Amino acid sequence: MFGERGLEAPLEDPSPWGGFVGYVEGLFALQAEDRGLNDAIAQGFPAATELNEASRPCLRHTERVIERAKEGGRLRADFEPQDLAVLIWAMSQVIRQSMDTAPRAWRRCLRFFLDGLRADAAHSLAEPALTQGQMIRIVERSAARD
């Protein structure tokens, strides 16, 4: 998924920001390559208990990648794992809608998002990150509609 070094590559990158960027690019490249995976994400996050349990190690890894980039001073301090989940959901729509016409369009969109995530470009946000409870309610409502 993330090249020869696997999931550890973002944490091994000498640049915490480079590791974070590589991580999200890898996630979206995987979605762009796998229509079924992207469609599943575009329709809503899976709510199945078994899948949530299985994804816990990946979530912990994601949290480490985010914390490392924040500690490195390049990722805005208020960025949370829930924000990445929402970004993944949003990008899945970009990938889904453009994959047949412009399969690499997501890369341009991602660059705009990444520029907005830089600590030196950050402005105070009035709205806090979604809580885990809010994320669960969104997922449940999304699953109920499908």
Side-chain angles (χ1 to χ4, degrees), residues 21-106:
V21 169
Y23 186 72
V24 295
E25 284 178 340
L27 287 172
F28 299 133
L30 182 63
Q31 285 177 233
E33 293 168 9
D34 187 334
R35 185 180 296 262
L37 171 64
N38 191 67
D39 284 349
I41 292 170
Q43 292 171 6
F45 295 108
T49 304
E50 300 84 24
L51 189 53
N52 285 337
E53 288 299 318
S55 66
R56 284 190 197 282
C58 186
L59 179 58
R60 284 191 294 275
H61 179 79
T62 300
E63 289 170 346
R64 289 192 340 242
V65 170
I66 290 170
E67 283 309 310
R68 182 172 180 256
K70 286 169 37 173
E71 289 169 2
R74 298 289 306 276
L75 179 61
R76 55 184 304 144
D78 57 356
F79 187 77
E80 299 296 333
Q82 296 90 314
D83 295 317
L84 181 58
V86 173
L87 177 58
I88 291 168
W89 206 358
M91 286 296 292
S92 71
Q93 294 295 333
V94 172
I95 292 167
R96 178 189 227 187
Q97 298 301 320
S98 66
M99 90 178 16
D100 292 330
T101 305
R104 295 178 50 88
W106 65 269

Side-chain angles (χ1 to χ4, degrees), residues 124-142:
S124 296
L125 300 174
E127 190 64 34
L130 294 172
T131 65
Q132 286 187 338
Q134 289 170 320
M135 288 296 296
I136 290 168
R137 285 193 296 281
I138 290 168
V139 169
E140 289 171 347
R141 285 187 194 135
S142 177

